[in-house]
Amino acid sequence: MSAPIPDVPPDEVWQALKSDPKAKLVDVRTTPEWNFVGVPDLTELGKAPIKIEWQVYPGMSVNEDFLHKLKLEEVEPGDKVYFLCRSGVRSLAAAKLAQENGYAEVFNIADGFEGPKDASGHRGTVAGWKQSGLPWTQG
């Protein structure tokens, strides 16, 4: 049986990416999300997020090439890999698949990029990467 995937708060992910040259952030959202919502900006760490859709837009079927694309992006089974989506659901699924296929140190970024909805139904104000005040950029 696989070990549970740890949820790691965004600020701890930032520190891990900063301190471990082999740590990687894999953003599993869709191309429209990257373009219109934004992506983590890892420039000051000398890194960039690795963007691989978990579900392929617009049909939203699970990306059958996900593991292959991880390998193409040089995400190695020995790396610490932090998975990110909007709110933490798709990233958890991606982390589980990676774990089942030999990636030993996989993590889910708690609350994702935008976090849960606030009382007004908006994301990005309660928790997640954006709300944590970490660097991000919008296409």
Side-chain angles (χ1 to χ4, degrees):
M1 182 162 179
S2 300
I5 308 290
D7 278 328
V8 181
D11 56 330
E12 289 182 28
V13 172
W14 179 265
Q15 290 305 318
L17 291 168
K18 185 176 183 176
S19 65
D20 182 350
K22 292 181 65 174
K24 297 183 168 99
L25 187 152
V26 177
D27 189 330
V28 304
R29 294 174 300 146
T30 62
T31 300
E33 287 174 294
W34 300 325
N35 292 337
F36 299 113
V37 180
V39 293
D41 183 355
L42 308 180
T43 307
E44 74 178 72
L45 304 179
K47 297 182 179 190
I50 297 163
K51 298 188 281 191
I52 307 171
E53 289 181 317
W54 173 251
Q55 291 174 293
V56 181
Y57 185 84
M60 301 308 284
S61 58
V62 173
N63 184 352
E64 294 179 7
D65 291 331
F66 188 82
L67 287 171
H68 178 67
K69 289 185 177 186
L70 267 183
K71 289 181 175 72
L72 287 177
E73 292 288 347
E74 298 179 1
V75 179
E76 304 294 334
D79 297 339
K80 286 185 180 171
V81 187
Y82 297 85
F83 290 91
L84 176 77
C85 69
R86 179 186 67 195
S87 56
V89 176
R90 288 173 285 173
S91 53
L92 181 59
K96 284 180 180 175
L97 180 71
Q99 183 184 61
E100 291 164 2
N101 285 276
Y103 290 83
E105 294 192 82
V106 296
F107 306 88
N108 189 40
I109 300 177
D111 297 311
F113 189 68
E114 296 181 86
K117 292 179 181 176
D118 64 18
S120 301
H122 300 120
R123 294 185 188 275
T125 62
V126 176
W129 188 276
K130 286 172 88 171
Q131 191 278 332
S132 295
L134 294 169
W136 62 280
T137 185
Q138 197 159 8

